[in-house]
Amino acid sequence: MKKKSDYLTILRRYEILIASALVIVVVIVLSWNILIPNLFKSKEIYLQQKQISAQLDSLRKKSNALSKLDKDYYKETLVKLTQVLPIDKDFVSLFAAFDLLQSKTGALIINTQFQLENTSSGPSGVNQRETVSTKTIPMKLEIIGDETAILLFLDSVDDLAGRIMTIENTHLTLKEDGLVGAQLTAAAHFNPAPGRAASLETPLPTIGKTELETLEKIASSVVIIPPADPQEVSLGKEDLFN
Amino acid sequence: MAKKSINLIVKTQAETTVVHRARKFLPIAAGVSIFIFITVFVANLIYINANLAAFKLSEAEARSIVKKIEASTETEATYILTANLVSKLNTILSSDLNYTNITGEIFGLKSDELKITSVNIDENGDISLAITVDSVTTLDEFVRILIDKEERDHKFNNIEAHGIVRDKDSKYILTVILKADKSLLQ
């Protein structure tokens, strides 16, 4: 009995100290179990908020940029652009370019030689080469015309009215009658890796001033070659004798 | 009747300094700690709730923009492809050589007395001309024009004449090798 009353006496005597210590312990336990995890959660939310704000910003910019694009203009220009720089060898656009060059310049293409396969050895040591990740079809062209026609031809091969071709070297033979024969070592370009679609937040690539001028030139000068319709190809006479 | 005495005064014990100080500061420490805990806890809760709402709003907005962008996938792909192709095209054009100016210059060297029979031009601007000249005077004049083009107009340099021979018609046949200035190739 006496012992119990002694404890009570001690309790009463130190009640404030015990209560204060208990409060401090409870606060420490609660802080450890609730407050600190909550603070970490807040930090996480803050970081996510920051991240989503940045994403939102880039998405808004991209959405604005996309809404400003003239869909039809780019669609039509891309068709023309792929005639100038196709994604494959596309001999149709190449021959169309030759036809265009002949009619435009007055020079006559009398012979063409192509390196058809990448691995085959080209005519007279002409090798397939890569230029800035575009590929080329090495070729040799033999043309004939007067001086004006030849100069116009040399000027028109890269005028972006048709398939882009570059000349590596020229051999001209000036004849007595005033005609000039030209043997051109040239290359037609194509781009087999036209680019990948980017992720949603990736900003749209910017088309610079000179590139816009090139686009404008292509948009105004290239005539779209309609795809060949086999139904419309004339097959000749059904009856050979009448 | 015998007297009985009861001691009602509680026996006092002397407190140590630590206990004395603890009695003074521990309640304050407890009060301050609970105040800080409650304040931080409530502030944190308010922050979490407010940001969670903002986060959800941003997320919803992002979802709607993504939908909008996804609806324009075709336009985006067309634009990216166009940008890529036109950039490559410009790179090709920037490294492309222009043979028109050189050829025009060479055609301009011809006259009734001076015939150019063949011309070779390579990608380094090295030019080789096969020439037939009627007389020494014309040959002199031709050399003077070439020197002028080198020294005054800076169009050609490294001019060399090779294999000058006189044929049976008394005409001079020679080969001229020269290098075009870079400006002519651009």
Side-chain angles (χ1 to χ4, degrees), chain B:
Chain B
M1 208 169 137
K3 253 186 180 179
K4 201 175 181 184
S5 64
I6 303 166
N7 186 9
L8 292 173
I9 299 163
V10 180
K11 202 167 53 180
T12 52
Q13 279 178 350
E15 279 183 345
T16 59
T17 331
V18 177
V19 174
H20 185 72
R21 278 184 186 168
R23 196 181 284 281
K24 210 172 171 184
F25 293 111
L26 219 54
I28 297 170
V32 169
S33 67
I34 203 159
F35 175 76
I36 291 172
F37 173 79
I38 291 170
T39 311
V40 174
F41 189 75
V42 169
N44 191 43
L45 272 185
I46 292 169
Y47 177 81
I48 288 176
N49 280 336
N51 277 278
L52 215 60
F55 181 78
K56 278 179 184 167
L57 265 175
S58 303
E59 213 177 34
E61 196 187 346
R63 242 181 274 130
S64 82
I65 296 175
V66 165
K67 265 187 192 171
K68 214 170 151 188
I69 291 173
E70 277 173 350
S72 318
T73 311
E74 196 191 332
T75 314
E76 188 190 352
T78 308
Y79 178 81
I80 290 173
L81 204 58
T82 305
N84 182 283
L85 282 176
V86 79
S87 147
K88 292 204 172 151
L89 199 57
N90 264 25
T91 318
I92 294 168
L93 288 173
S94 65
S95 60
D96 188 22
L97 303 174
N98 183 348
Y99 287 88
T100 320
N101 295 335
I102 298 179
T103 313
E105 279 291 332
I106 290 163
F107 284 165
L109 296 172
K110 288 194 306 154
S111 66
D112 289 341
E113 293 81 35
L114 187 142
K115 287 188 176 66
I116 298 173
T117 50
S118 79
V119 183
N120 267 315
I121 310 167
D122 73 11
E123 54 195 328
N124 301 316
D126 291 323
I127 305 167
S128 160
L129 308 173
I131 292 166
T132 307
V133 192
D134 284 356
S135 64
V136 181
T137 322
T138 314
L139 188 59
D140 274 352
E141 178 67 9
F142 176 65
V143 170
R144 193 189 56 76
I145 289 169
L146 281 183
I147 289 169
D148 266 4
K149 289 210 180 278
E150 181 178 18
E151 289 177 355
R152 198 184 59 199
D153 304 336
H154 306 291
K155 288 182 175 172
F156 301 118
N157 50 59
N158 298 341
I159 303 167
E160 289 173 25
H162 293 276
I164 304 172
V165 288
R166 207 167 176 193
D167 70 1
K168 57 184 177 188
D169 302 323
S170 305
K171 289 178 179 174
Y172 292 91
I173 299 168
L174 66 148
T175 304
V176 175
I177 293 168
L178 59 158
K179 195 170 179 73
D181 189 75
K182 278 180 185 172
S183 61
L184 279 179
L185 280 164
Q186 285 161 0

Side-chain angles (χ1 to χ4, degrees), chain A residues 23 30 32 39 48 69 99 110 126 161 164 171 187 217 226:
Chain A
V23 166
L30 286 177
W32 184 260
L39 286 174
Q48 280 183 349
L69 292 180
D99 288 345
I110 50 174
V126 180
I164 178 90
H171 174 75
K217 202 173 175 187

